[in-house]
Every structure is written in structure tokens, then in C-alpha cells.
Amino acid sequence: MFERPASDAAMITILVDGRPVAARDGDSVAAALLAAGLAITRTTPVGGAPRGPYCMMGACFDCLAVIDGVASRQACLTTVREGMRVERQEGARDLVATSAGP
Amino acid sequence: MSDTREFDLIIVGTGPAGMAAAIAARRHGLSVLALDEQAAPGGQIWRAIEANAARSKTLDADYAAGLATVHSFRSSGAEALFGASVWNVDTDGSVIWSRDGVAASANGKRVLLATGAIERAMPIAGWQLPGVLTVGAAQILLKTSGLRPKGRVWLAGQGPLLRLYAAQAIAAGGALAGVIDLQPVTTTRAAFHHLPAALSRWRDLLKGLRWKAAVRHAGVPWLAATAIAAHGDGRLSEVHITTRAGERREPADLLLLHDGVVPSVQISRALGLAHDWHAAQRCWHPRIDAAGRTSEERILIAGDGAGIAGALAAVEAGTIAGLAVAQDLGRVDAAACVDEIAGASRRRAAYVGMRPLLDALFPPLPVRPADDTIICRCEEVTAGRLREAAKLGCLGPNQLKTYSRCGMGPCQGRNCGLAVSEIIAEARGVPVEEVGYLRQRFPTKPVTLGELAAMWERK
Amino acid sequence: MTDVVVIGGGLHGLSAALQLARRGKRVTILERRYVGRHSSTATAAGVRRLGRDPREIALSVVAMEMWHGMAGIVGDDCGFHAGGQIRVAETTADLAKNERRANETRAAGWTHEELIDRAELRRVVPSIAPHCLGAIISRADGAADPFRAVTMWRRACEAAGVEIRENAGVVALEPRARGWRVVTPVGAIDGEFVVNAAGAWARDIAALAGETIACGVKASMMIATERLPPFLAATVGATGRPLSFKQTAEGTVLIGGGHQGRNDPATESSVVDFRNLATAARIATELFPHMTGVRILRCWTGIEAQTADDIPVIGPSVAAPGLFHSFGYSGHGFQLFPAVGVALAELIVRGATNLPIAAFAADRLTTPAGE
């Protein structure tokens, strides 16, 4: 899908559904996922269909994911940090997810 | 939330228009608060420009031109908050936003909406599949994360951005499987009577031709097609292309769609401002005067959010609006600004003068999706469902709520809005402007119950 | 010339129209915008007898019978789900208030309101905050889908031969030898009887007929959240503070309670007041703590009629013969609409009704001509 030319940019590691994925410091979560060839962040609450980043600017709300335990976060508006946990949001967001906060 | 801070001017959006307005207003001593949802200024067109400059990656001259504006903005003395999602604006000048999970508000004597543009939705079969993104999204990925296309990557749609991104991607060392041009050929001839008005910007006209040539030179197939569809099981795997020679099926792992950009009107609509239908661009524009003033005394609009005219026109419009606010608040005489406004207006008119030619060369694609194509992505409502509703007597997008949940999901119609209006208009056999647009309401971005509950609580 | 002109294409207008058409009358509905434009689609759609003004209870009980048999009336249940309606007691004062209420309604002969203790409350609403002490419940109450109701009642009206004209606002009412001429900018229609079901504008319609009825407006706000997995079947209120809280079939949560925004009936516009709405959000998160991080997708406020005594105007006009009123539901008209339609149809067709609407007579709010 996408590739990143070699550079001396700082790289960090995030966890995507438990698996380590390399990300560039400053990437949005969505960019990091796409760079790793991962196009799916959630399944829809309506029909259970897989969805992922589409507009990359916060307008489509398709890139919702559970990030550091908080559900319905827009992956394209969230910047990666070392050790960040990104999980696929399955259907309607989990009620047990923690309350708002970064 | 204790005292609410007061500003002369609150600006929503730090793209070209927002930054230019801040710079102009600050020059006359106005207190300015600028809010942007992104992590840094530049809007979409100059996205990540500071970070890229630091890495010596400025893509091309147009992009690099934004750096000067960003530097002036950073040193203007405007207070800027990033990661701030504005979700309420009141006609009395109060603005509410959420940032890091906390909602806050401020009052402005004037509020300038500089929210820019969003991609026009291009609803094709399978556009909701993972692996289908917009060309704008790919451009953002290139600018913010240095990602270039690799593998079986197809571009489809129409418009200058299609050509520009293809050229940028190739220049960055990316690979494209092909560009699928859905633009009907006949429009080019019809466009030529707009040429004279656009000639003052002849360099920009030549750019478009150069981009296409660069793509051809790189050996990327450029196909004329009448329809495309995305296919795959849970993820994009194939693109079906309908050309005059027949149908082609091509493997694909990334499909990038583009059908032009349209003004982002969520806030202007939620404010209840009047909007007019623009027949050539097939979208609504908020009604403003030459300086960007609206029917609400405290609200102004500048840039692509008032009508697509590009980054450079947006800079001029932002400057004019900033000066108008300074005048309206009595901080500078009209006489002192006359020359500056005249200059900005003249330059803006030259950029705007290109629009009729561009609109004629790159008209939006007709909206005629098959019945089983999803239109409302959030609630998974198909074109067939909308046509059925129109047949049952549904007059417009707002009445649709009695037939389906179209427009009631998280994006609140941002993506499907125009397509919904077009589909209902066509089904009813009436002009789109008669059908109207989905009613927008505040909050224009989601806010949590906890954030709202905590506002105005005594700490 | 038709038999009945119904002014207002909301649920009360549709209800009257359907019952009249099924009793053999020719009916035309005149709707200024589109069917269901205002209150009928801004409502929280609670279907409750619980907590009603004593003057409304009898009518509400009749209506509830109809809700439980809705499929037999319009061929669809309109999304009605009898998950129960509850008012939670958060303090001992609330407990006492609930007890007084339960005693009063039982003494009046009604059995639908029942006191429940902390354990039973927790069983019915597992996610309720720990500080809640008990509740008063009406178990066979619930909530419905207002959009579905509008669609199904409209379809039933059309199937029964009701003519529906949209974009047809009424600008004049002229008495005729027999009945009324009802004038719109796109034409006039003569009808022997007129039903005024024009909601927040019903007062203006009455004035066109020369009748002055006191009626104001309210702008109750609602919140709709993103979809959540199912966690609540009942509709929950609080005895001590304003709240209505329910989860829809789609999983979204609707929060109301009568917190007021601003509206302007003349321009048919309304604006949410977030300062007031913050109170609704706070009460909701205090009663349902797990909701704190849930996202609000949409807020709205409608334009509803509000009478001085908080109960509607139902029945014949006192000043204008052949004119019948059905408006002023003050934020609790949704559950009543099926029954009121029957009452009006009986009044018009038979000249009388056995349904309990005497308390809603127009004369209590009408100013006689000349005063």
C-alpha cells in the first residue's frame, strides 16, 4: 500500500492488537497502521463491516479505534507514543472502556 | 471552568485563510485566539509544513510558499491552540472546543470561520472497503509521514488534485499501477470560453499540464473510464474499471478516490447562516460579502470554507477579513487599509478568475450510484434506500430521518450530505437546491458526556 | 368540499385523521412543512403512564392499551418496547416523594405505579449508580421510535384514503355556511370540520378562527450518543431532578429531561443552550457513571406547545363551531396521541365521546372575545 523511504527519523513501537508495530515519532496512529500495511481499525456497529482510515483529516469517523483503553478515538487525529495500545473496535464501543482522557 | 476569556477575534482553523487573518489582525493590535484540530498550523494544503521544512522536504514550490505564512503566523503574537476540536459557535461570539478530553470556551467580539474544504464524497460500489482512501488522504500521508504509494495502487476520479498527487507521488519515488480518469472528454472543449478570464494565472494552468505529462513520462497508465467499482472480501483486492473497450479487472491493494473538494460548511450551517447553491461546483456556499461578513454581525468566513478558490486566494481572503474585523472594531481607519485591501482583493480576484475555467474543465462527476452502493457510510444506508424513500414521499434529506438513519451517525452527514441531496433530487426530478441539505447542529464534532458535564462546574 | 380538514401533520394530526377516515369521513391533512417536521420527531418518545398529572392518567391508560396493540392499529409496533418506566430515588426525600405518589395513584384506583427497593432497582437497571435507594416503576410502560411512528401512521392514513398536502401552511380560516374555508398560499379547501393539531402554532391557528387561547412554547433539549452495546431496557428518570435516559433499539442513548434551549416559533428555529445541557449531561453521568466517556453525536431542541397548567387542550372550540383542538401537550403528548385521535373522531362523528378528556376543555384557557 505505502512505503516509507529510509530516514534518520526517530522510530518508536506501538502495540496493535497486542503485536508490536514500528511507527515514526510524530505519526498519527492511522498513518502508522497504513505504513505497516494495516487498513482496518474497526468493525461497524450497524453491520459488522470492517472499516479503516479513509479521509485522514478527522471528517469521516471511519478510523475509530480503541486507543490506550479509550474507545471511539479517531486514529488519524491521535499521535503515536511509545507503548501506545491500539485495538480494533468491534461493533458498538465497549461500555467497560475507561472514561475520557488521553 | 472558571472565567471565560475574551478575545477580539477567535479564528477557527489555521490554514492559509486563518493564518493570514491572524497576521493582519495582530498587526493592528487585536487580541487573537486561533484554534485548530490538527497538531500544527497549515490546514490541509500546507499540512506538516514546519516538520517537513525541518527535514528539508518541501515537495514543491507551491507547498514551500506556505512556510513564510506559517512563520509570520507563529511570530504574530496570536494565541494558538492545537488539537482543539471546535464543536460549538454561537452568534454572540462564544466558541466551545475540546482539547485533551477537556471542554473549554472563549468569547470573541468576532469569530472567523476558516475551516477550509473537505473531499467531495465519490460513492462508488465498495468505497467503504478498507484499502480505499481519498487522494487527499494519500497527500496527507505523504506530507505528514513521508509515505509514498507502493504496490498495486490505483487513483480514480477527476480534478487537478488527481494529477498533482500522481506527480508528487512519482517525484517522491512512489509507484502507481494506473490513473483512472472518469472525466468526460467533452468538457475540455466546452471549457475554452472561460480561458480569457484565467489567463492572468497562466503559470498555474501550465502546471496542470506539466503534472499530467510527468505521470505519463513515468509510464503510469492513464485510462479514460466511465465507471469503477472496488471489490474485496472485507478489504480491497480488485478494481473493476468500465472503459469504452469493455470492463477490466485489476488487482489492487490501495484505491485513492478524488472528485474535487467542497467547502466545509458544518459550522456555517449549524449557525443557521444562509447558503447559496453553486451550480458549476455543485455544492453550497455560505453567503458572505466581499470582506467575508455574514448576516450575523459577529461571524465572518474566509477561504475555501466560503467557496473553493485555493490556498493563495484563501490567504488574500483571510487578510481582507482580518482587516475588516480590525476596522469594524475601530482599531484602524478604513482609509489606512484601503491600499492593502485593494491589493489583496486584486490578487484574490486573479485566483478566483481561474475558477470558471477549472470548474468547466473539472466538473464534479455525476452522482448516479447503483442501488446497492452505500451512501451514508456511518449508518450503512444505500442509494436504493434513499430512492425508495423519495418514492414514498420523502421530500428532502431531513425528512429522511423518518425512513432511515441516514446522516445520523458520527460524521453527521459530512461525507454523504451532498450525495444524499443529489440522489433525492434526481429521484424526485427537482433541482438539488430545492431539496436542501441535511440540517447541521452543534456539537459539530463529538464531545463526551463527561466533558460537557464538567464545563461550568465550580472547581 | 371535504368532511374534515386537519391542520398539522404531526402525530396528533395523523391520529385524528386516521380515526376519522376509518369512520367513513373524507379527510385532508394540511401540513406547512413536511409530516412529522417538529415535535413528533424531536420527542424523546417515552411511552408512559408513570408520573402523569392525575388529570391525564385515565386517558394515558387508554392510550397504553392502544400502544400494546399498536400492530393491530397501523400494522407495525412503531418500535414500542415495554421495558418499563422508572423514577429513581437518590435521597430519602425522593423515597418519601415516591411513596406519596404511589399512595395517591393507588387511592385513585390505578395499579400501574409500584414502589421497588434497592435490590429490585439494581435488577432492573444493573448500571444505575450505587447511591440510588429505590424507585417507582410502571413496568408495562416503555418507549417507541418516533420516526417509525410517523412513517407508519402516515402510511396507515394514506391507506385509509387520507389526503396529505405538505408545504401547505394555513394562512386563513373563513367561516362558511357549513363549516370552514381553510386557505393556504397554494389553494383553499372547504371542510365541514377542522381539527387544529398545529402544535406550537396551534394558538395562531385558533386566532385565525377568532379564538384566543393562551399557550406558550418550550424548547426541551435532547442528546443522542454513539451506539453502545445493549445495557438498558427501561426508560429512567429521577424523582429529584430532571432527567430522561433511555437506550434505543440501535444502541444509541437518548438523554433529555426538559432542560431548556432557545427557540423561535416564528422562524421555526431552535438553538441548544450548552450551559443548560451540561446539567443534563451531569445528571446522566451521576446516575450512570459508565457513560462519562461516551460521545455525544447530536443535540437538538424542538418547538413544542406549553400551556400554563401543563396539560393539553383537547375538544371543541368554545368560540368557533366545527373547530376542534388537539394541542398543548407540554412535552408529554407522544404517548397520548393514539387515544386522542379516537376522542376527536368520536366528537366529530357522534357528537360525543366517552374518553376521559373533560379536564382538557379549551374554555379554561380561552379568553372570551372582547376581553
Side-chain angles (χ1 to χ4, degrees), chain C residues 3 35 65 79 191 223 251 281 328 355-356:
Chain C
D3 296 327
V35 165
E65 290 292 313
I223 292 171
L355 287 177

Side-chain angles (χ1 to χ4, degrees), chain A residues 4 12 14 22-35 53 56-57 63 67 74-81 84 86, chain B residues 38-39 47 140-141 144-145 147:
Chain A
R4 192 162 5 219
I12 62 166
I14 63 174
R24 192 172 82 176
D25 196 21
D27 272 350
S28 63
V29 172
L33 292 173
L34 290 167
M56 287 301 300
M57 55 179 283
C63 67
I67 298 177
Q74 288 171 284
C76 70
L77 292 177
T78 309
T79 308
V80 297
R81 35 149 224 98
M84 178 175 266
V86 177
Chain B
Q38 300 299 331
R47 184 101 180 234
I140 289 168
L141 288 163
T144 59
S145 301
L147 295 178

Side-chain angles (χ1 to χ4, degrees), chain B residues 244-320:
Chain B
R244 273 205 307 220
E247 191 174 276
R248 279 168 68 157
R249 296 185 176 200
E250 298 285 349
D253 25 57
L254 182 64
L255 172 62
L256 303 172
L257 303 175
H258 184 70
D259 185 14
V261 292
V262 294
S264 179
V265 295
Q266 274 62 46
I267 296 179
S268 56
R269 284 237 177 231
L271 278 165
L273 299 174
H275 288 69
D276 299 308
W277 176 251
H278 192 296
Q281 293 181 7
R282 298 196 77 72
C283 62
W284 276 275
H285 295 176
R287 197 176 295 162
I288 54 170
D289 71 5
R293 296 184 194 89
T294 67
S295 55
E296 288 294 338
E297 193 190 21
R298 295 200 170 210
I299 312 290
L300 294 90
I301 310 179
D304 275 1
I308 305 301
L312 299 178
V315 167
E316 307 302 340
T319 302
I320 294 166

Side-chain angles (χ1 to χ4, degrees), chain B residues 19 26 89 97 125 138 142 147 184 190 195 218 227 240 251 257 272 282 288-289 300 333 375 387 393 397 412 433 455:
Chain B
M19 289 192 289
R26 282 296 304 148
V89 177
W97 66 90
L142 184 59
L147 295 178
L195 192 54
H240 294 192
L257 303 175
R282 298 196 77 72
I288 54 170
D289 71 5
L300 294 90
D333 302 325
I375 302 300
R387 291 180 181 123
Q412 289 290 297
E433 52 266 50
M455 291 189 80

Side-chain angles (χ1 to χ4, degrees), chain C residues 245-314:
Chain C
F245 184 105
K246 71 169 71 67
Q247 187 174 26
T248 66
E250 293 79 34
T252 62
V253 171
L254 299 181
I255 300 168
H259 304 267
Q260 295 295 298
R262 301 189 308 268
N263 64 25
D264 180 7
T267 55
E268 295 175 65
S269 63
S270 55
V271 173
V272 167
D273 180 322
F274 282 102
R275 194 175 280 252
N276 287 347
L277 198 63
T279 307
R282 197 171 320 126
I283 298 172
T285 51
E286 285 175 9
L287 282 163
F288 293 92
H290 69 278
M291 295 289 296
T292 313
V294 173
R295 275 153 215 274
I296 297 169
L297 294 192
R298 192 172 180 92
C299 302
W300 67 91
T301 181
I303 311 173
E304 321 174 79
Q306 169 75 54
T307 60
D309 56 5
D310 216 36
I311 56 172
V313 177
I314 304 174

